[in-house]
Amino acid sequence: MSPYEELEKQLWKAADELRANSHLNSSQYSAPVLGLIFLRYADFKFSVATKQIEKKKSARRSAGKIDYQAQGVLYLPEKSRFSSLIGLPEKADIGKAINEAMKLIEKENDNLHDVLPKNYHQFENSTLVELIKTFNSIPMDIEGDAFGRIYEYFLGEFAMDQGQGGGEFYTPTSIVKLIVEILEPYHGRILDPACGSGGMFVQSAKFVANHKKRPQDEMMAIGFEKTEETVRLAKMNLAVHGLEGEIKRANSYYDEDVRGTIGQFDFVMANPPFNVNNIDKERLKGDKRFPFGMPNVDNGNYIWIQLFYSALHNKGRAGFVMANSATDARSSELEIRKQLIQAGDVDVIVSVGSNFFYTVTLPCTLWILRKGKNKTLQKGTVLFLDLREIFTQVDRAHREFSPEQIEFIANIVCLYRGENVETRFIESKNKSGHGGSETQTGSNETRSIASLQKHFSKMKYRDVPGLCKVVKLKEIEEQEWSLNPGRYVGVAEKEDDGVDFSKRLKELNKELEQLNTDAEELQKVIAKNVKKLI
């Protein structure tokens, strides 16, 4: 277990004690816990910025809020510093002090107005003291985005604990990373009309940072979410990662803010709710966000797909999670899918196996749309990827994609698009690779390249049975416009083990005959002995 994992589990154990000692369930105590992680992170960033500002400031002027804002850091009044809270006497009203700290932060930072939790008075003083002490133990010198990683870890744990409710705000990180790596959001406006806790934006920012650019300079995040509590989570998540964005409470089916998104975005990323029913289609009549028509069935999948598609400008890309059933849906949904495929804007379709999500065990499909594709070398084709046998087993019930697996998959798409492959050393948990059955060794970069070279020896795209296939629209039409990768990719070739099948079959048959003979003899002996005993 890595130091990161040990730290995460230690902190989660402490947070879980808050539930045990407060008689609250995770949906009630998750926001206060995440609020304290947010505060600890903000205090850490503030301390680092203070040292840098003090080196540069003039003796005539003291550092002010504007200096911190210029560095993309939240300004913290003295009473809002985590260090101030840790210094309070244990007999003080800790809950009241934390509530006041949160109010002061909101007052000084307009983007967090009415966002932070302020219900700490509900918890026992002694419990809060222990929780603050535990979170204060997060080391300041660990590399990378430690606090962001811890925050995401807690979001995931709360999602697991809350079951279906947790799935409304959290999409597993490895799924999000794969979408981001395939979309390549280097620069531009990003929309998520079902943004949950904002994970798509966080991973997009990390993608930009990995390419040596400042996310604040390169991307603008716009998110919509129907639940106020989830909007707060998203704003906290962006803040804890040093990001800013417009996260609004809105119903993406009906609200005017969402209706005005047509053609406005470079990228759209989302994990919408699957197979939603009871959408009021009368309210959507004449809506230009649905260029291929309204489905007749009581199912929201193709409403969401068109919402994503219509928000893109003429060179935009969309990546989203979708129910498997949408790839083969019939009737009016088939007609919508047919028009979308004929428009030439379906880029990549990816099958993902079961047990990746905390709330459902069913497999899913990732759709990648790409406007302007008809002007590229991939005109008139779709890349299908079948990843059902590629995963890393996290525990008995859950799977994920490892960093090297994500890089391998994204590079297949790069080869298809005629782009240069990309490798970089990404932190890994060094778990099993293909099918969760092998322990891989060596650096991630080495493993990623080795996997790529195994299937694409000349670093040129080719169809690999059981893994990937480029399909022309004519063949898709012959398959009744299905976008199910299983219909096209086929079955992986089995390696020749050098055994003569006919000869081996004869040997096995001879061995079976001998075993049958031996069985008959043993049966006679047993019968004879039983007769003697009787």
Side-chain angles (χ1 to χ4, degrees):
M1 185 182 297
S2 72
Y4 276 112
E5 291 173 301
E6 290 179 1
L7 178 60
E8 288 165 347
K9 292 185 183 302
Q10 173 192 347
L11 295 175
W12 174 252
K13 182 179 178 181
D16 204 37
E17 289 179 3
L18 182 61
R19 176 195 58 79
N21 294 322
S22 66
H23 308 292
L24 301 176
N25 60 40
S26 62
S27 64
Q28 294 171 305
Y29 81 89
S30 58
V33 169
L34 291 170
L36 284 176
I37 296 174
F38 162 84
L39 185 58
R40 181 71 177 94
Y41 175 78
D43 187 72
F44 166 69
K45 296 286 285 184
F46 186 86
S47 298
V48 173
T50 298
K51 292 178 182 178
Q52 296 174 345
I53 291 170
E54 287 180 346
K55 288 180 181 179
K56 299 178 181 179
K57 75 176 182 180
S58 167
R60 298 179 180 178
R61 185 179 69 87
S62 59
K65 181 166 68 173
I66 193 171
D67 297 292
Y68 291 92
Q69 292 175 336
Q71 294 197 27
V73 175
L74 294 171
Y75 179 74
L76 301 183
E78 184 61 33
K79 289 184 178 180
S80 295
R81 300 287 304 275
F82 202 89
S83 52
S84 295
L85 295 177
I86 199 71
L88 291 173
E90 294 191 7
K91 292 183 179 181
D93 189 338
I94 305 298
K96 181 179 178 181
I98 299 175
N99 287 344
E100 185 63 25
M102 297 298 185
K103 290 177 183 177
L104 290 172
I105 293 174
E106 290 183 346
K107 184 178 179 180
E108 295 290 348
N109 301 275
D110 293 339
N111 60 321
L112 289 175
H113 176 67
D114 200 27
V115 168
L116 303 180
K118 295 177 282 291
N119 61 336
Y120 292 94
H121 57 279
Q122 296 180 10
F123 304 100
E124 293 289 336
N125 226 44
S126 57
T127 302
L128 290 175
V129 168
E130 289 304 314
L131 199 60
I132 290 173
K133 286 181 178 179
T134 301
F135 284 178
N136 193 56
S137 69
I138 299 174
M140 292 288 197
D141 57 349
I142 49 181
E143 297 180 356
D145 183 13
F147 290 93
R149 173 172 170 149
I150 291 166
Y151 193 88
E152 287 185 18
Y153 174 81
F154 270 63
L155 284 175
E157 290 294 323
F158 284 129
M160 291 177 68
D161 199 49
Q162 293 177 33
Q164 185 63 39
E168 293 178 0
F169 65 74
Y170 181 78
T171 305
T173 302
S174 73
I175 293 285
V176 181
K177 284 182 177 179
L178 180 58
I179 292 174
V180 169
E181 290 292 332
I182 292 176
L183 279 190
E184 301 176 318
Y186 289 104
H187 176 86
R189 289 165 53 85
I190 303 174
L191 170 69
D192 185 345
C195 71
S197 59
M200 298 287 181
F201 302 134
V202 171
Q203 293 304 327
S204 296
K206 289 183 178 180
F207 177 87
V208 172
N210 285 336
H211 291 84
K212 311 302 181 185
K213 293 185 178 180
R214 275 172 41 93
Q216 296 91 334
D217 300 333
E218 303 296 328
M219 58 176 278
M220 177 62 181
I222 308 292
F224 298 107
E225 180 55 50
K226 65 178 182 178
T227 306
E228 187 61 43
E229 186 62 34
T230 309
V231 170
R232 292 191 181 99
L233 273 178
K235 289 184 176 182
M236 286 170 61
N237 200 8
L238 263 62
V240 85
H241 286 86
L243 303 173
E244 290 189 17
E246 293 181 15
I247 309 296
K248 299 180 181 180
R249 182 181 179 183
N251 185 313
S252 290
Y253 304 129
Y254 315 120
D255 286 359
E256 288 301 320
D257 281 345
V258 191
R259 288 176 184 264
T261 60
I262 297 175
Q264 298 296 310
F265 291 89
D266 300 277
F267 302 96
V268 175
M269 287 177 264
N271 174 26
F274 295 170
N275 304 314
V276 174
N277 52 22
N278 296 322
I279 297 174
D280 187 353
K281 295 174 186 173
E282 286 296 315
R283 296 176 63 181
L284 302 178
K285 277 188 175 180
D287 196 319
K288 295 181 180 180
R289 294 177 297 167
F290 307 102
F292 304 126
M294 189 63 58
N296 295 328
V297 297
D298 190 15
N299 186 308
N301 290 340
Y302 276 83
I303 290 177
W304 280 110
I305 290 170
Q306 291 188 81
L307 286 179
F308 305 147
Y309 178 81
S310 64
L312 299 173
H313 62 56
N314 59 7
K315 291 185 179 180
R317 298 182 183 184
F320 50 90
V321 188
M322 185 50 61
N324 271 359
S325 58
T327 62
D328 284 311
R330 312 299 295 174
S331 188
S332 59
E333 292 175 305
L334 185 152
E335 182 58 33
I336 294 172
R337 187 171 66 250
K338 173 184 173 181
Q339 294 180 67
L340 180 62
I341 295 169
Q342 288 178 326
D345 296 327
V346 179
D347 192 25
V348 185
I349 302 292
V350 183
S351 280
V352 177
S354 59
N355 297 321
F356 272 75
F357 287 81
Y358 296 127
T359 56
V360 292
T361 60
L362 296 175
C364 67
T365 306
L366 308 183
W367 293 45
I368 308 298
L369 308 181
R370 183 183 179 195
K371 286 192 176 180
K373 185 181 173 185
N374 281 331
K375 297 180 181 179
T376 69
L377 295 174
Q378 296 79 43
K379 177 182 178 180
T381 65
V382 176
L383 171 64
F384 289 94
L385 289 164
D386 190 341
L387 308 183
R388 288 175 294 177
E389 296 301 319
I390 298 178
F391 57 84
T392 294
Q393 198 72 38
V394 179
D395 53 43
R396 291 180 63 184
H398 300 100
R399 298 170 175 174
E400 68 180 14
F401 293 121
S402 67
E404 58 267 29
Q405 288 168 339
I406 293 171
E407 185 173 272
F408 167 67
I409 297 161
N411 276 331
I412 295 175
V413 180
C414 286
L415 292 177
Y416 162 66
R417 292 173 177 162
E419 301 171 352
N420 293 327
V421 300
E422 180 175 308
T423 62
R424 59 179 179 271
F425 191 87
I426 313 173
E427 182 186 357
S428 169
K429 297 177 182 179
N430 196 28
K431 295 177 181 176
S432 68
H434 187 82
S437 60
E438 302 174 25
T439 299
Q440 301 194 24
T441 58
S443 73
N444 300 318
E445 184 174 353
T446 301
R447 290 198 297 270
S448 175
I449 286 295
S451 297
L452 208 61
Q453 290 177 334
K454 176 182 177 181
H455 297 291
F456 311 95
S457 57
K458 296 181 180 180
M459 287 297 176
K460 298 290 184 181
Y461 177 84
R462 72 179 184 91
D463 293 338
V464 179
L467 177 62
C468 59
K469 185 176 180 180
V470 174
V471 180
K472 294 183 178 180
L473 300 195
K474 180 64 176 176
E475 185 177 347
I476 297 176
E477 181 181 4
E478 291 170 356
Q479 291 289 340
E480 299 179 298
W481 305 103
S482 169
L483 288 177
N484 185 343
R487 289 202 182 198
Y488 306 100
V489 174
V491 180
E493 298 174 348
K494 292 188 176 181
E495 295 182 4
D496 186 359
D497 58 7
V499 175
D500 186 322
F501 177 75
S502 179
K503 181 180 178 181
R504 182 58 180 154
L505 184 60
K506 290 178 181 179
E507 291 173 351
L508 291 172
N509 187 58
K510 186 176 180 180
E511 184 178 343
L512 179 60
E513 290 176 351
Q514 182 61 49
L515 289 171
N516 287 335
T517 301
D518 292 343
E520 289 176 8
E521 293 297 325
L522 286 170
Q523 190 174 6
K524 291 177 182 179
V525 172
I526 292 169
K528 184 178 179 180
N529 290 336
V530 170
K531 189 176 181 179
K532 285 181 179 180
L533 289 171
I534 295 174

